[in-house]
Amino acid sequence: MKNFEYAVPDSIDKTFEYLKSSKAILKAGGIDLLDMMKEQLISPDRLVNIRELEELKFLKEDTNGAFLIGPGQTLSELAEDQTINKSYKALAQAAGGVASVQIRNSATLGGNLCQRPRCWYFRSADFHCSRKGGDTCFALDGENQYHAIFDNTDGCAIVHPSATAVALIALNAKLIISNGEKDREVSIEEFFVTPANDIERENILNKNEMIITIIIPADIKDYLSYYHKQKEKQTFDWPLADVAVALRMEGDRCQDARIVLGSAAPVPFRSKSAEQALVNQNINKDTAIKAAEAALIKAEPLTLNEYKVPLFKTIIYRTICHTVGIDPMN
Ligand SMILES: Cc1cc2nc3c(=O)[nH]c(=O)nc-3n(C[C@H](O)[C@H](O)[C@H](O)COP(=O)(O)OP(=O)(O)OC[C@H]3O[C@@H](n4cnc5c(N)ncnc54)[C@H](O)[C@@H]3O)c2cc1C
Ligand code: SF4
């Protein structure tokens, strides 16, 4: 590993000063960043450690009733927080399902949203694929069992790795991004970049920018939400497929639905067809099955991941049922 400077700012202002160095990069929990450095996929000249920065750690409601989360909150803290469990359950479940307890104690929300893809060709220095500036996607004709079943024809078939992003899109979250001089607010859906727009990046952050706040709008308190992750093994593992559902209900009738699939596409995939199948319907097992079927109509599996189609249908059905308290197995 190349030598690097280690900067520990004591304020957000100082963080932006340290970031001005040409190859400086933020380090939060370091779980993904250090992997990338050890594999020699990146070689920063300065790590700016924000893991202990108190200014980035907060969970609070603003005067308008929106819930504000600091990007420095760990995944364990999100999974255990009472307000999040009560009002934004999908987020608590997504954060609590990531990796192992040791990783969740270190990993932060900001780092989870900005982690790089897990595609094994991308993670190996031996494969100079399109996402690293090469001209080939090795997954398209290779080992693609964990890759995308939607939007996989634009030269890169990664699945977006962040579980919390799936939940936060279902919860219609927004992000405040800053470069130290100017802040901008974006919907979290606009934060992620598709391969068609730029194959070498996963989000819109410029080099000197960071996420300083995650906002869940006030009206989301009126929604019920649920997140489910299907893993290959029961100990800590990445999802084969995951889904977050948020429903605004009036009695048994669904007024609004937000359904997001993870491990399905290069960015967390919002299934508008599943949502449309639920709106203005009574939610029961039949409508849940119809929504799950609708979600997969346009799936285009690769050579080795066709299994994801029935898998997603099952977990979407189950997650919709769980959201409204129906036992999907009975
Ligand atoms: C065995 C294993 C299993 C895992 N399983 C899952 C899983 O199932 N689901 C899942 O979602 N993740 C999973 N992960 C990934 C893990 O959750 C992430 O690596 C971790 O959340 C990253 O957070 P961090 O704070 O350590 O980020 P870091 O590694 O410190 O940073 C990651 C990236 O984010 C940037 N960054 C950090 N904070 C900010 C900020 N505030 N603004 C802008 N950029 C920022 C950094 O510069 C860096 O580029 C797994 C990891 C392992 C090792
Ligand atoms: S899926 Fe994307 S990251 Fe993986 S080999 Fe293809 S181009 Fe590279």
Side-chain angles (χ1 to χ4, degrees), residues 177-324:
I177 294 170
S178 179
N179 64 7
E181 282 158 20
K182 227 166 83 187
D183 295 354
R184 54 181 175 139
E185 186 177 302
V186 295
S187 118
I188 187 165
E189 279 182 83
E190 293 163 25
F191 180 67
F192 298 109
V193 171
T194 62
N197 282 330
D198 188 341
I199 203 163
E200 292 187 43
R201 60 197 296 189
E202 292 85 48
N203 62 56
I204 60 170
L205 282 180
N206 294 316
K207 196 216 146 287
N208 58 347
E209 286 185 317
M210 72 169 166
I211 301 171
I212 54 168
T213 305
I214 296 93
I215 306 173
I216 303 180
D219 66 344
I220 290 293
K221 271 186 255 163
D222 300 336
Y223 287 63
L224 301 169
S225 72
Y226 206 90
Y227 167 89
H228 179 84
K229 165 180 174 175
Q230 190 62 46
K231 300 179 276 188
E232 203 160 15
K233 60 182 190 312
Q234 284 313 304
T235 55
F236 66 91
D237 202 357
W238 293 89
L240 294 170
D242 54 339
V243 57
V245 171
L247 303 177
R248 182 158 55 79
M249 302 293 294
E250 206 171 282
D252 289 339
R253 208 164 179 80
C254 175
Q255 304 294 317
D256 189 32
R258 299 179 63 87
I259 299 184
V260 186
L261 315 187
S263 310
V267 300
F269 183 83
R270 189 155 166 217
S271 177
K272 296 271 171 76
S273 38
E275 294 172 1
Q276 280 159 12
L278 294 184
V279 175
N280 293 325
Q281 302 295 321
N282 285 349
I283 303 295
N284 51 42
K285 288 184 185 173
D286 288 342
T287 44
I289 288 172
K290 281 188 188 135
E293 294 282 341
L296 274 300
I297 285 172
K298 292 200 173 149
E300 290 180 314
L302 300 167
T303 47
L304 297 174
N305 66 6
E306 197 152 356
Y307 72 93
K308 284 197 179 190
V309 174
L311 180 59
F312 266 113
K313 282 185 192 171
T314 305
I315 68 165
I316 294 168
Y317 159 71
R318 289 185 188 172
T319 310
I320 293 168
C321 288
H322 283 304
T323 307
V324 294

Side-chain angles (χ1 to χ4, degrees), residues 117 119-122 129-132 136-140 147 155-158 199:
C119 170
W120 34 38
Y121 299 108
F122 176 77
C129 73
S130 309
R131 189 160 287 273
K132 291 187 282 195
T136 308
C137 172
F138 296 96
L140 287 178
H147 285 72
C156 173
I158 56 158
I199 203 163

Side-chain angles (χ1 to χ4, degrees), residues 78-97:
L78 301 182
E80 284 157 20
D81 183 75
Q82 283 188 4
T83 307
I84 296 179
N85 273 282
K86 181 166 167 275
S87 303
Y88 318 107
K89 190 172 183 168
L91 178 59
Q93 291 169 317

